[in-house]
Amino acid sequence: MTTPQLKLYVDAQFISPYAMSAFVTLTEKKLPFELLTIDLSTRQNQDSSYASVSLTRRVPALSEGDFHLSESTAISEYLEQRFAAPDYPAVYPADARQRAKAREMQAWLRSDLMPVRQERPTEVVFYGDGYAPLSPAARAAADKLVAVARAALDGRESLFDQWSIADVDLALMINRLAMPGDAVPDDLRQYAQRQWLRPSVQQWVQQAQSMKAANP
């Protein structure tokens, strides 16, 4: 069996939502790849060897031969163009405006809602850790998330005519609230649960659970 040309570097803890997003993109596109882990707790990402792979010294990072790329949306967009439909499954909408809206959603989720991200880190999603009630600032951010998600979904089961990688990113943000038991409308809770049950997402979740079991 030949070694896959594509390599994906992710956090050894399997709690990075951005590493998960890149992992899901590769898996959904049915691309063979080698999964490599970087231990952020020991600052392995600051080693010079990793800096030669990830310009930003963050996870995820993708390698294809001597080409290296970091940042999850850049990775997903590159893979979508490099391994395009119909030869490979699409992870972004075909329509240009819908594709732009998917990227808008991804950019927003990565740059806003900081109180929610601080008070509900992804340990609550992947490890089931408990946390104190939301502060007023986090509750306000959560209310904004609910309003934006409902407006974007508009009653549909996915953001666009077909599933996209932006659905997984939005579902993860909703699950920061839903999984620890914070107030989330039933329609959004069900939407996030449907996304979470995708086989590609579950492959990542199982990696996180295995890591947690090995390091209780």
Side-chain angles (χ1 to χ4, degrees):
M1 184 175 180
T2 58
T3 302
Q5 186 180 16
L6 292 170
K7 297 179 181 180
L8 181 67
Y9 296 80
V10 304
D11 60 306
Q13 294 73 27
F14 289 95
I15 58 173
S16 167
Y18 314 120
M20 186 188 82
S21 188
F23 176 93
V24 169
T25 291
L26 282 161
T27 304
E28 289 283 344
K29 294 188 82 65
K30 303 185 185 306
L31 294 168
F33 63 97
E34 182 179 359
L35 187 65
L36 302 169
T37 58
I38 299 296
D39 191 347
L40 302 184
S41 67
T42 62
R43 297 178 59 80
Q44 188 180 0
N45 56 307
Q46 299 300 326
D47 291 351
S48 59
S49 59
Y50 187 62
S52 67
V53 172
S54 174
L55 179 65
T56 60
R57 302 193 183 194
R58 303 203 297 181
V59 294
L62 178 78
S63 290
E64 184 184 12
D66 60 359
F67 175 71
H68 308 296
L69 186 66
S70 56
E71 302 302 309
S72 59
T73 52
I75 291 170
S76 289
E77 290 173 14
Y78 169 73
L79 292 171
E80 184 77 333
Q81 294 177 343
R82 173 76 172 80
F83 303 97
D87 294 331
Y88 298 88
V91 297
Y92 283 103
D95 177 79
R97 290 186 174 182
Q98 288 190 353
R99 190 163 60 248
K101 294 298 287 185
R103 289 166 173 162
E104 175 189 58
M105 177 62 71
Q106 289 184 297
W108 176 67
L109 291 168
R110 286 158 171 75
S111 61
D112 200 355
L113 309 172
M114 183 58 73
V116 169
R117 288 189 280 151
Q118 288 176 334
E119 297 183 26
R120 294 294 182 268
T122 47
E123 285 86 343
V124 305
V125 176
F126 298 118
Y127 296 166
D129 294 348
Y131 287 84
L134 293 173
S135 68
R139 187 68 261 170
D143 290 344
K144 181 179 181 181
L145 169 62
V146 168
V148 171
R150 277 187 151 172
L153 286 165
D154 195 24
R156 297 184 298 269
E157 291 196 353
S158 59
L159 287 165
F160 308 104
D161 297 334
Q162 294 182 322
W163 172 91
S164 76
I165 189 61
D167 283 299
V168 171
D169 292 342
L170 178 57
L172 188 141
M173 186 62 78
I174 294 170
N175 276 336
R176 290 178 188 262
L177 302 170
M179 288 188 172
D182 295 307
V184 175
D186 286 343
D187 57 332
L188 295 186
R189 189 181 296 272
Q190 292 167 9
Y191 161 79
Q193 186 177 39
R194 284 194 301 271
Q195 301 302 324
W196 218 243
L197 291 176
R198 289 186 75 86
S200 58
V201 176
Q202 282 298 302
Q203 286 185 41
W204 178 269
V205 171
Q206 289 164 13
Q207 295 269 16
Q209 291 174 344
S210 296
M211 199 291 301
K212 178 65 172 177
N215 300 276

